[in-house]
Amino acid sequence: MKVSEKLKVINKDIQAAAERAGRNTADINIVAVTKYVSNDRTQEAVDAGLVHLGENRPEGFKEKSETISGDVNWHYIGSLQSRKVKNVINEVDFLHSLDRISLAKEIQKRAEKQVPCFIQVNVSGEEQKHGLSPENTSQFVEELANYDKIKVIGLMTMAPLTEDKEVIRSCFKQLAELRKEIAAKNLQHAPCTELSMGMSNDFTIAIEEGATYIRIGSSLVGE
Ligand SMILES: *Cc1c(COP(=O)(O)O)cnc(C)c1O
């Protein structure tokens, strides 16, 4: 199916979820995750009107950002090894996976301008997942005051892989609560207004819980 057709379906679901939550769809951004698909399919996504693209590996990120034409905001959504920072950071418009001081240090050293970042939080506590524990997130954000190349625009999480919608919802709710607490501190380097959460399987729940960036791959551009 064409990306534009899939996008129509997804936009309907976004609209319905936003209505249920009393939210404006203008506050919900789709990040098209193109990690599984070719450059041609990615270009099709841009031509269909998608302006946010996400990749989760340095190699894929570089290839896509060098090949795709159009006015694209580039999102780096995967875990990023410190030694790879220099390869991508100056092409990254949004980083979704800041989760440790060593990474912040490397960004500070390599970035030529300020990078809008989401702090990745491992709300569900699964061992194999990257991200800070909710307990440590607030302190971590405060420490980032010393890094002027980093602007904390929000928090990011991945819900656990489960069919249980209430478990997923609870994960998103906790992230939203944490975001509020951090934003209430009015830190100059950390407005923390955004929530990056929700993927193909759970983006409607994420919208109901306040997501402002949803990251959609398989159901939008394909696997
Ligand atoms: C792959 C990926 C997505 C998109 O997943 P789909 O289930 O294909 O929509 C979103 N976020 C991250 C961090 C990913 O790695």
Side-chain angles (χ1 to χ4, degrees):
M1 217 200 278
K2 283 193 198 159
V3 176
S4 59
E5 288 167 22
K6 292 189 170 234
L7 181 58
K8 261 189 209 156
V9 176
I10 286 171
N11 272 333
K12 273 200 186 132
D13 291 344
I14 291 174
Q15 175 84 42
E19 267 169 32
R20 288 194 295 277
R23 299 187 56 203
N24 191 332
T25 52
D27 299 330
I28 300 158
N29 300 284
I30 303 174
V31 179
V33 177
T34 54
K35 64 188 186 195
Y36 315 107
V37 301
S38 67
N39 292 338
D40 283 352
R41 184 72 167 170
T42 303
Q43 188 64 55
E44 190 194 329
V46 174
D47 297 342
L50 289 154
V51 294
H52 296 282
L53 298 188
E55 283 280 330
N56 72 337
R57 307 184 71 88
E59 299 73 22
F61 182 90
K62 261 209 109 49
E63 186 184 331
K64 295 281 191 348
S65 61
E66 287 170 3
T67 315
I68 302 305
S69 58
D71 221 347
V72 175
N73 296 288
W74 292 100
H75 294 249
Y76 192 92
I77 61 170
S79 69
L80 181 56
Q81 289 176 284
S82 296
R83 63 189 176 85
K84 299 270 174 83
V85 166
K86 60 177 181 300
N87 302 345
V88 296
I89 199 67
N90 287 305
E91 269 73 54
V92 169
D93 296 307
F94 296 86
L95 176 68
H96 290 243
S97 52
L98 181 52
D99 63 354
R100 57 193 195 278
I101 287 293
S102 57
L103 180 56
K105 280 193 178 141
E106 189 64 16
I107 294 169
Q108 182 67 25
K109 191 162 129 192
R110 303 290 185 176
E112 285 157 13
K113 53 181 191 311
Q114 199 178 47
V115 184
C117 296
F118 292 87
I119 308 303
Q120 184 166 355
V121 185
N122 184 0
V123 177
S124 61
E126 292 160 287
E127 251 176 51
Q128 73 279 17
K129 278 212 177 120
H130 291 272
L132 286 131
S133 70
E135 297 75 40
N136 294 334
T137 300
S138 191
Q139 170 70 32
F140 177 75
V141 170
E142 288 193 13
E143 282 174 42
L144 293 173
N146 305 320
Y147 299 79
D148 66 4
K149 293 288 168 45
I150 291 170
K151 182 170 188 176
V152 179
I153 62 162
L155 304 181
M156 177 274 207
T157 200
M158 291 171 83
L161 254 187
T162 169
E163 298 281 291
D164 189 338
K165 291 199 160 62
E166 287 318 305
V167 170
I168 294 170
R169 187 179 300 282
S170 154
C171 170
F172 293 153
K173 261 193 206 305
Q174 287 176 65
L175 194 74
E177 203 47 51
L178 191 54
R179 184 206 69 74
K180 252 194 219 160
E181 283 168 29
I182 294 170
K185 295 183 177 185
N186 288 314
L187 303 169
Q188 218 218 322
H189 71 287
C192 207
T193 50
E194 310 301 321
L195 280 172
S196 167
M197 57 189 197
M199 316 193 337
S200 290
N201 292 327
D202 53 21
F203 71 87
T204 57
I205 305 173
I207 289 168
E208 289 168 11
E209 299 306 330
T212 58
Y213 287 84
I214 55 176
R215 311 178 308 268
I216 310 188
S218 45
S219 71
L220 178 58
V221 292
E223 310 192 30

